[in-house]
Amino acid sequence: MREPEQRQSPSSIELLLDPAAEAAVRAEWDALAARGMSSLAGHTSASNRPHVTLVERVDLPAPDARALAGIPSFPVTLGAPLLFGSGERRVLARSIVPSAELIGLRETILTAIGPGDDAPHTAPGEWMPHVALARRLRIADLAAALDLIGGDVHGHAHSVRHWDPTTAVITTLAELHPRRASAR
């Protein structure tokens, strides 16, 4: 008798936001939850922070820390709401305005980890940068949910982490710091 094949959970490399932008997203999570809607506020583990998934795959190697050394923080704008999926329940997210710095960071990571079997939503040519607000929002709640989402949130890239759900290990890969003013 053949053993059933165990499915591995994919790991991810994620961009975290500065504390003020993170607080703005958490406020939207809380507003959705307070109205009894699907929200990421209910998931309280340390791994659940507002983030932008840069790449996700099974057997995801952590990039060499040197590849990310010296990358400065950059502005990040959380824009209009997005809806992913099909059926009665959908993922509600905030779009991320794709800046040259964000795209460059992602390309640096993809180069550092090499090719692989990326999850469809992070595969080259398919990636749509976003921050999730709810994973199973009922379509019937969409209009009320949209009323709870504010205008654009302006923040900064804060750090890059590797999340391995199989081992429940979070590893900080890089802290992104503001550019230093050049000495004159």
Side-chain angles (χ1 to χ4, degrees):
M1 184 171 187
R2 218 171 140 188
E3 294 276 327
E5 195 174 311
Q6 285 199 4
R7 212 172 130 195
Q8 277 187 291
S9 294
S11 296
S12 57
I13 296 176
E14 303 164 345
L15 174 67
L16 299 179
L17 306 172
D18 68 83
E22 181 171 322
V25 173
R26 287 183 182 277
E28 291 180 344
W29 289 358
D30 292 343
L32 291 166
R35 293 280 304 271
M37 293 181 227
S38 175
S39 166
L40 289 173
H43 180 36
T44 59
S45 77
S47 65
N48 189 43
R49 290 181 63 185
H51 66 272
V52 180
T53 301
L54 300 169
V55 64
E56 181 177 279
R57 65 171 80 144
V58 173
D59 297 323
L60 176 65
D64 184 327
R66 293 175 291 190
L68 301 175
I71 294 176
S73 178
F74 53 87
V76 176
T77 300
L78 286 73
L82 298 171
L83 215 53
F84 294 108
S86 60
E88 168 59 24
R89 294 190 178 261
R90 309 280 176 95
V91 172
L92 176 64
R94 283 283 208 140
S95 62
I96 299 294
V97 177
S99 65
E101 294 92 347
L102 177 62
I103 293 167
L105 172 63
R106 185 171 187 283
E107 290 301 317
T108 296
I109 289 168
L110 290 175
T111 299
I113 62 174
D117 190 17
D118 296 335
H121 67 282
T122 67
E126 300 296 321
W127 180 61
M128 171 79 63
H130 66 277
V131 173
L133 301 175
R135 296 216 185 276
R136 297 189 36 79
L137 183 73
R138 292 179 355 170
I139 291 297
D141 291 335
L142 180 58
L146 292 176
D147 286 342
L148 300 173
I149 297 171
D152 289 357
V153 173
H154 300 279
H156 283 84
H158 182 268
S159 59
V160 178
R161 72 177 183 178
H162 178 261
W163 162 234
D164 185 345
T166 304
T167 60
V169 172
I170 300 166
T171 305
T172 299
L173 301 174
E175 295 285 343
L176 309 181
H177 300 286
R179 292 184 200 267
R180 291 188 180 165
S182 56
R184 291 183 191 226

